[in-house]
Amino acid sequence: MPESDSSRRVLQVGPLKPSLAETLRTSYDAFALPDGPERAAFLAEHGAAIAAVVTSGRTGVDAELMSALPNLGAVVNFGVGYDTTDVEAAAARNVMVSNTPDVLSDCVADTAVGLLIDTMRQFSAADRYLRAGRWISDGNYPLTHKVSGARVGIIGLGRIGQAIATRLVAFGCPISYHNRREVAGSPYTYVTSAVELARQVDALIVAAAGGSGTRHLVDRDVLDALGPDGYLVNIARGSVVDEQALVDALTEGRLAGAGLDVFTDEPNAPEALLSLDNVVLLPHVGSGTVETRAAMEALTLANLDKFLETGDLVTPVPMPTPAGSGQRA
């Protein structure tokens, strides 16, 4: 890491992986932003000294916090998602933002495929069935549905979406996708709308970035197009799916099942889904392996080091052009 500069301090915002938080404290002399009534006093005393914030996709940095950090130059994000950080406010203030792409694509893609298999084959529910003694009392578990050869649609064919597709091709699954724009050279079938994609597939996997541009992209119309024989998997952000519409579709039998690693109000999952055997629920563990979280931590620190040394970032995210400006801030 670069030599410490007492005039350019690092601030941890929100909880982080314990080893990362400890490294920030011991090697970077980082502050941790307090919650509650102490926050205002802390920002008044130290806000002007903060050059970089380290946060996660679950917390982020909003415009109000940025305004209290007048010399902020970078928001370094642990995680690929950065929708909780106000990138428009950051661009307007010439604040750069980084994330940790690529290093978590494999594990999140593995999670998507695991959820798809578990949801369609109901392995978790069958496990509960056996443990409850029902194999003995009630006989064989009911038949489920085959994954190999199923038509799979992917919303968001970025790094993670493409990694999911690569895995499912090995299962003999025809792959189609919806993106804001067609991916040049992609071997998969492009569909111009999420509704039409849902209408054409047996299972729909959500891998789109979060944020205002994708909020409720998967709405009631998409779920109805997927229909009572269709399955939904979401490993993206809870905000991309209209959660109430999803709950209604599942409880009313208008959707065959769902595998969810993300929710709208984490760590809370909808109460109505907890007792459904056709729903698999995970506590946002898509990238939760020792290997991937270590790689994410290393890339987070690499971004922080490069910013403190040179003012640049290793993996900056695309920034919007501030209003009234002809170029990127």
Side-chain angles (χ1 to χ4, degrees):
M1 64 158 287
E3 292 184 8
S4 177
D5 180 348
S6 61
S7 66
R8 301 175 71 235
R9 300 295 297 273
V10 175
L11 177 66
Q12 174 185 335
V13 174
L16 292 171
K17 184 170 179 277
S19 59
L20 175 56
E22 180 65 9
T23 298
L24 292 175
R25 185 184 69 82
T26 58
S27 298
Y28 295 80
D29 193 27
F31 291 121
L33 182 65
D35 289 322
E38 299 176 1
R39 177 174 291 205
F42 171 88
L43 291 171
E45 182 178 357
H46 300 291
I50 303 303
V53 162
V54 181
T55 187
S56 74
R58 299 190 186 189
T59 306
V61 180
D62 59 19
E64 181 181 2
L65 179 55
M66 285 183 206
S67 69
L69 307 173
N71 295 308
L72 182 65
V75 174
V76 178
N77 189 61
F78 177 84
V80 68
Y82 53 90
D83 50 295
T84 51
T85 289
D86 190 330
V87 292
E88 292 186 353
R93 294 176 173 273
N94 295 320
V95 175
M96 297 182 293
V97 179
S98 70
N99 66 344
T100 57
D102 296 319
V103 295
L104 49 65
S105 297
D106 281 339
C107 279
V108 176
D110 291 350
T111 301
V113 174
L115 277 172
L116 180 64
I117 295 170
D118 196 349
T119 302
M120 293 184 69
R121 295 296 308 277
Q122 295 191 9
F123 287 150
S124 290
D127 174 84
R128 293 190 294 271
Y129 185 90
L130 181 150
R131 291 172 188 270
R134 295 184 62 190
W135 191 13
I136 297 170
S137 63
D138 297 351
N140 290 339
Y141 190 80
L143 298 179
T144 58
H145 289 278
K146 183 179 177 182
V147 177
S148 296
R151 299 169 300 167
V152 176
I154 299 174
I155 294 183
L157 199 70
R159 295 177 177 93
I160 293 171
Q162 292 190 49
I164 294 167
T166 298
R167 285 155 173 76
L168 290 174
V169 164
F171 282 72
C173 296
I175 305 295
S176 51
Y177 72 97
H178 171 66
N179 244 24
R180 276 179 284 189
R181 59 187 65 86
E182 188 170 0
V183 177
S186 172
Y188 312 118
T189 302
Y190 177 64
V191 181
T192 56
S193 75
V195 170
E196 185 56 34
L197 177 64
R199 188 173 289 119
Q200 296 179 15
V201 300
D202 303 304
L204 187 65
I205 299 178
V206 183
S212 59
T214 59
R215 185 177 183 274
H216 290 185
L217 176 61
V218 177
D219 57 11
R220 183 185 175 112
D221 289 342
V222 174
L223 296 172
D224 284 346
L226 193 53
D229 296 322
Y231 296 86
L232 179 80
V233 169
N234 187 9
I235 47 77
R237 281 288 184 264
S239 61
V240 183
V241 175
D242 182 337
E243 193 167 82
Q244 187 56 56
L246 176 61
V247 169
D248 292 343
L250 288 164
T251 56
E252 295 167 10
R254 293 186 289 106
L255 194 66
L260 308 173
D261 185 46
V262 291
F263 303 91
T264 299
D265 182 30
E266 295 180 0
N268 300 300
E271 184 75 24
L273 300 184
L274 300 183
S275 61
L276 298 182
D277 277 340
N278 62 336
V279 180
V280 181
L281 307 172
L282 299 180
H284 202 149
V285 296
S287 64
T289 65
V290 172
E291 296 85 356
T292 289
R293 291 291 169 86
M296 290 167 62
E297 180 174 342
L299 184 51
T300 299
L301 292 173
N303 272 297
L304 180 59
D305 287 346
K306 185 165 185 178
F307 172 74
L308 294 175
E309 290 171 350
T310 69
D312 295 321
L313 293 166
V314 178
T315 52
V317 305
M319 299 294 283
T321 301
S325 170
Q327 59 186 0
R328 193 192 87 114

